[in-house]
Amino acid sequence: MKYVGWPEEGELVVGKVDDIEDFGVFVDLEEYEGKRGLVHVSEVASGWIKNVRDHVNEDQTVVAKVLGVDESAQQIDLSLKDVNDHQHSDKIQEWKNEQKADKWLTLAFGEDMDDDQFRRIANGLLGGFGSLYEGFEQAAIHGYEALEDADLSEDEKDAVVETARENVSVPYVTVTGYVTLTSPDSDGVDDVKAALQAAEGNGEVPDEADLEVTYVGAPEYRLRVQAPNYKTAETQLETAADRAVAKIGELGGSGNFHRERQLDEE
């Protein structure tokens, strides 16, 4: 999808070198429909430039900073030298992600989707998330709930969630901790089992988190949580541990949570 309108001063844009002249470089903007910018020779690279072609090639994909926009003159002034390697890499990745999201929209709504529908749905995701890719990623992680406030119909939300979950690779983090659970009762094994079941949450663990409770050697048990970010993972890990410790306490036993194994590895 290409934006209708003009980029803003200071914005980083992706473009393709269209024409190289002694006075500068013309760049077709990949993200803006029908827009072309000029990189003056003084903005191509730092220092004295003998030959512009020593620094750029025709059809090369570049990242440029918008120095100024004159809509009345249909002119966009760009700079290549003001973009560092980190900014270049991040912007290219962002652009590639949006290209992926364009394809996912087509997968969700079909090749026959007209331009008006495409833009309306795209604007619904952009309005809620700032980018198409972020909209699909959040839909993959949180499901329908992520799209509650998006300006889309119920069927459109369903299509986005289904496509997101089939196509988006969500980055996950994994955190691990341990609980030690003991009970003095003769049926203490059952008390520990009840505490471990409490740790599992009985439906309290959110969909985006995956909690695993495993035996590593009595009285120690491992809790492992996989989630899309550390905050969620840490919260669910500590909450699971609290449930187990509280339950064993209710049953007359004792428990504690710790980050590292306290018993030797098997």
Side-chain angles (χ1 to χ4, degrees):
M1 184 188 75
K2 291 194 175 186
Y3 298 119
V4 175
W6 297 82
E8 296 181 357
E9 183 176 333
E11 182 179 344
L12 296 182
V13 293
V14 177
K16 182 169 288 188
V17 175
D18 175 57
D19 188 23
I20 301 174
E21 303 289 347
D22 291 340
F23 59 83
V25 179
F26 289 98
V27 177
D28 287 333
L29 303 191
E30 296 287 337
E31 301 163 290
Y32 287 88
E33 188 173 348
K35 296 300 184 292
R36 191 186 197 210
L38 172 65
V39 182
H40 187 268
V41 62
S42 63
E43 294 293 335
V44 171
S46 299
W48 182 69
I49 297 176
K50 180 178 180 181
N51 189 337
V52 178
R53 292 181 183 274
D54 291 337
H55 300 274
V56 291
N57 302 308
E58 289 184 356
D59 294 328
Q60 178 183 345
T61 298
V62 297
V63 175
K65 181 178 180 179
V66 178
L67 298 180
V69 176
D70 186 339
E71 296 183 28
S72 61
Q74 298 285 298
Q75 182 174 325
I76 303 171
D77 294 323
L78 304 171
S79 174
L80 296 179
K81 73 177 185 180
D82 285 353
V83 180
N84 62 40
D85 291 343
H86 179 71
Q87 291 171 319
H88 181 278
S89 177
D90 284 353
K91 182 60 183 180
I92 288 293
Q93 187 59 57
E94 176 188 314
W95 174 59
K96 288 180 177 179
N97 285 345
E98 289 303 278
Q99 289 182 309
K100 288 180 184 178
D102 276 359
K103 293 179 181 178
W104 295 336
L105 270 183
T106 301
L107 286 174
F109 299 100
E111 295 281 353
D112 297 333
M113 175 175 51
D114 61 44
D115 290 344
D116 288 342
Q117 182 186 17
F118 183 95
R119 292 191 182 280
R120 182 179 57 77
I121 295 172
N123 286 335
L125 293 174
L126 288 169
F129 302 97
S131 75
L132 297 184
Y133 186 86
E134 181 68 14
F136 274 98
E137 186 172 75
Q138 291 303 310
I141 295 171
H142 299 288
Y144 193 89
E145 179 183 345
L147 303 176
E148 282 184 347
D149 296 329
D151 188 16
L152 302 173
S153 71
E154 304 304 303
D155 287 344
E156 288 167 350
K157 292 176 183 178
D158 288 339
V160 169
V161 171
E162 181 179 351
T163 302
R165 288 185 163 167
E166 289 178 355
N167 294 278
V168 180
S169 297
V170 178
Y172 279 89
V173 297
T174 301
V175 296
T176 301
Y178 299 84
V179 286
T180 298
L181 304 171
T182 59
S183 173
D185 295 344
S186 58
D187 57 353
V189 172
D190 291 335
D191 292 345
V192 170
K193 286 182 179 178
L196 294 176
Q197 289 174 350
E200 291 174 345
N202 190 28
E204 296 178 35
V205 180
D207 290 341
E208 67 264 31
D210 181 34
L211 169 65
E212 181 184 45
V213 181
T214 56
Y215 169 84
V216 293
E220 196 171 52
Y221 304 86
R222 179 187 294 116
L223 306 177
R224 178 179 286 127
V225 177
Q226 187 180 68
N229 57 70
Y230 278 106
K231 182 178 180 180
T232 299
E234 291 286 349
T235 298
Q236 293 306 313
L237 177 66
E238 293 173 6
T239 301
D242 288 345
R243 287 194 296 259
V245 171
K247 187 63 176 180
I248 198 71
E250 289 175 11
L251 298 174
S254 62
N256 63 80
F257 170 60
H258 42 95
R259 290 290 178 173
E260 304 295 334
R261 283 211 63 183
Q262 294 182 341
L263 301 179
D264 294 334
E265 293 285 351
E266 296 176 324

